[in-house]
Amino acid sequence: MKRLTPIKAIRQQCLDCSGGQRAEVRECPVDACTLWPYRMGKNPFIERPAQKGKQVGSKINSAETINAQEGSFLREA
């Protein structure tokens, strides 16, 4: 039997609680549950460095951000 890390065991419990539906785990309304902050399989209290090469947002959002920083903002037509 494969041993799980505590975070992965919590994720498994959340999947069991939601009938195996991943979307239900993400949308879980039971924020009073002590496991709720860990339900996505990661510790939310540990800061993770940004990953290199990972694109954030769409090209349109990136262009808007760059233009907003330069003082001109592109508006949608």
Side-chain angles (χ1 to χ4, degrees), residues 3-16 35 38 41:
R3 295 189 73 184
L4 296 175
T5 65
I7 293 291
K8 291 188 185 224
I10 291 169
R11 173 70 174 173
Q12 247 342 101
Q13 175 60 34
C14 291
L15 281 167
D16 289 343
L35 302 178
Y38 305 93

Side-chain angles (χ1 to χ4, degrees), residues 36-63:
W36 192 84
Y38 305 93
R39 72 193 188 287
M40 298 309 295
K42 295 187 175 154
N43 185 340
F45 304 107
I46 295 177
E47 290 187 32
R48 289 174 176 72
Q51 295 177 354
K52 286 185 178 180
K54 188 173 182 179
Q55 183 179 1
V56 178
S58 67
K59 290 181 182 179
I60 293 171
N61 289 339
S62 297

Side-chain angles (χ1 to χ4, degrees), residues 62-75:
S62 297
E64 288 175 351
T65 302
I66 291 168
N67 288 330
Q69 290 172 350
E70 293 175 354
S72 64
F73 185 79
L74 297 175
R75 298 187 187 268

